[in-house]
Amino acid sequence: MRMATEGVFAGLKVLDVASFIAGPAAATVLSDFGADVIKVEPPGKGDPQRILGSVPPSPRADANYSWHLANRNKRGMAINLKSPGGTKILKRLVEWADVMITNFPHGTREKLRLDYEEVSGWNPRIIYADITGFGDAGADATLPGFDVTAYWSRSGLLASTRDAGAPPTVPVFGSGDYMAAIGIYAAIVTALYHRERTGTGANVGTSLLAEGVWATGTLVAGALAGGTSYGLHDHSAPANPLINPYQSADGQWFMLVASPMHWPGLAQAIGHPELLTDPRFAGPEGFTKHSAELTTLLDAEFRAQPLAHWKQVLDQGRITYSVIQTPQEAAKDPQLRANDIVVPLEGVSGLEYTVNSPINVRGVAKVPAKRAPELGEHNDEILQQLGFSGEDIQQLRAEGAIPGPAQREAT
């Protein structure tokens, strides 16, 4: 297939006035498809995402992988939005932009003149996209939210992803944010289609809570229906022993996901064809009722042979399973490079690759991943593009609306 050279969003202008992960990562997906993204940060330390890679439990590394993952392919500005000069710059940026993304909480965004009413007054065609922790309404609308609190904890997802008898754990850092970023991206693309048809802008968004409940949708929808829960997963007696992790003789864990139609093949693969006539395992209800017995048998059989053996026999039986890889193992998985899930990153010493965004338009190449900006790196370039003269820029510096060159911090 011949690749198109121009990005889907070539010419689209995006203003990223967000911090941490979800909002900026949504802007990154747009930049992957050619959008011109300007990231706005406060002077001084900038977006706290700049240091997130050094905060445990993030992996320790010399390169700031976290910053470049969520902010690659952007131009960067440092602006004091609390100053009159900062508001003047913001207004010009909003007039320039097609899309603006923010995650400032309600109350703060109004003080900084980042609320929809103000922004849409400057540019009625703008797509205004935001993310909150807990939504726009209700008693908790103004509460701060992070993915581990709003997405994972409040939604029911974290309580459901542990084994019986084990305390709740800390989920993968940023995982809820990166999935919420796809939700914001989808909202923006929907609004762009709406604008294409109507000519008018839109106010779109999502919340970490909404994204978390969507991720937990099967269980929450079941609860809404008054469904009977099977409770927390118990490895020794799961609700369905055919959907359970097992360990091979060489210590490798893998996740088995076999449907009832695969039961004959699985029974043959483990060397127990007699189980096919065992009345205890005649159907799904039997698997559940006699779960502990079947799990004990499967545990013993799978621990008797190395993973290579089970790969061969399970593949031959067309039985679904997957090796449970560590992040380090996943990073080396050739399947990731074959599908451009991991891609080269340009311009960062000691960091050759990054993780690609998960959306593809077949036949359209993404923009090659380039380093994220230094704090305020493109201030002068963008201000001149917005029509500010050299004297104007000096005055903005004198007023404290933008930092001087010496105040920039390399990442």
Side-chain angles (χ1 to χ4, degrees):
M1 180 181 292
R2 186 175 180 180
M3 287 285 186
T5 56
E6 187 175 66
V8 174
F9 295 124
L12 186 74
K13 295 170 286 190
V14 179
L15 181 58
D16 171 5
V17 196
S19 60
F20 287 110
I21 300 174
T28 296
V29 182
L30 293 168
S31 79
D32 285 343
F33 288 104
D36 181 4
V37 179
I38 294 176
K39 176 160 185 81
V40 173
E41 304 175 73
K45 298 296 183 182
D47 183 346
Q49 172 76 3
R50 287 182 176 273
I51 64 168
L52 210 55
S54 63
V55 177
S58 296
R60 294 182 294 269
D62 293 333
N64 197 346
Y65 58 89
S66 180
W67 173 246
H68 295 287
L69 174 59
N71 290 284
R72 61 175 179 264
N73 295 343
K74 300 177 185 179
R75 295 189 288 166
M77 296 189 75
I79 307 173
N80 178 9
L81 295 177
K82 298 177 182 178
S83 69
T87 301
K88 185 185 299 184
I89 299 170
L90 176 64
K91 183 173 184 293
R92 296 259 190 111
L93 285 167
V94 168
E95 291 169 342
W96 165 86
D98 293 296
V99 177
M100 191 189 102
I101 303 172
T102 189
N103 68 334
F104 279 92
H106 292 292
T108 301
R109 69 176 70 176
E110 285 77 14
K111 291 177 182 177
L112 296 176
R113 306 185 73 172
L114 289 169
D115 56 299
Y116 177 69
E117 287 71 22
E118 186 90 42
V119 168
S120 63
W122 291 334
N123 181 354
R125 281 177 51 81
I126 200 163
I127 306 303
Y128 180 96
D130 74 348
I131 182 166
T132 63
F134 300 96
D136 296 327
D140 297 338
T142 59
L143 290 178
F146 292 91
D147 74 328
V148 294
T149 57
Y151 180 98
W152 278 97
S153 299
R154 189 73 174 267
S155 69
L157 183 59
L158 185 58
S160 308
T161 52
R162 60 188 172 108
D163 280 359
T169 187
V170 177
V172 176
F173 208 34
S175 54
D177 283 313
Y178 281 107
M179 292 315 301
I182 299 302
I184 305 170
Y185 169 82
I188 291 168
V189 173
T190 302
L192 287 170
Y193 182 69
H194 170 78
R195 190 178 74 176
E196 186 71 19
R197 298 184 68 185
T198 66
T200 60
N203 182 1
V204 300
T206 187
S207 69
L208 290 170
L209 178 60
E211 295 285 340
V213 172
W214 180 251
T216 324
T218 299
L219 299 183
V220 175
L224 290 171
T228 302
S229 171
Y230 284 97
L232 293 175
H233 179 78
D234 181 350
H235 172 78
S236 61
N240 185 346
L242 304 189
I243 304 176
N244 201 32
Y246 293 98
Q247 191 176 31
S248 60
D250 48 354
Q252 294 291 309
W253 284 93
F254 62 95
M255 179 64 71
L256 179 71
V257 182
S259 65
M261 65 179 290
H262 293 122
W263 170 234
L266 179 61
Q268 294 286 348
I270 62 173
H272 285 279
E274 76 279 2
L275 295 176
L276 298 176
T277 57
D278 191 319
R280 294 175 300 170
F281 311 127
E285 290 184 4
F287 292 139
T288 299
K289 184 177 180 180
H290 301 283
S291 172
E293 299 159 74
L294 184 54
T295 301
T296 298
L297 188 151
L298 290 172
D299 264 334
E301 292 301 328
F302 285 131
R303 286 190 173 125
Q305 297 286 348
L307 181 63
H309 169 81
W310 295 118
K311 281 185 174 182
Q312 180 180 0
V313 297
L314 293 176
D315 286 344
Q316 287 176 347
R318 302 188 65 81
I319 298 164
T320 305
Y321 71 96
S322 178
V323 178
I324 298 175
Q325 297 191 139
T326 66
Q328 291 76 17
E329 290 167 337
K332 298 175 182 178
D333 190 329
Q335 192 70 12
L336 274 61
R337 285 168 176 77
N339 290 277
D340 290 331
I341 299 170
V342 165
V343 292
L345 177 66
E346 298 177 21
V348 184
S349 177
L351 185 60
E352 296 182 40
Y353 296 94
T354 190
V355 178
N356 204 352
S357 54
I359 294 172
N360 292 299
V361 179
R362 292 183 177 89
V364 177
K366 289 183 179 178
V367 173
K370 298 180 178 64
R371 67 172 180 85
E374 296 178 7
L375 182 59
E377 179 179 348
H378 302 99
N379 267 12
D380 288 9
E381 171 191 310
I382 295 170
L383 288 171
Q384 290 169 8
Q385 181 183 345
L386 295 173
F388 289 94
S389 67
E391 290 183 1
D392 293 334
I393 295 172
Q394 290 302 320
Q395 183 62 34
L396 289 168
R397 283 206 174 92
E399 294 173 359
I402 57 173
Q407 292 176 261
R408 297 178 187 165
E409 293 186 3
T411 301

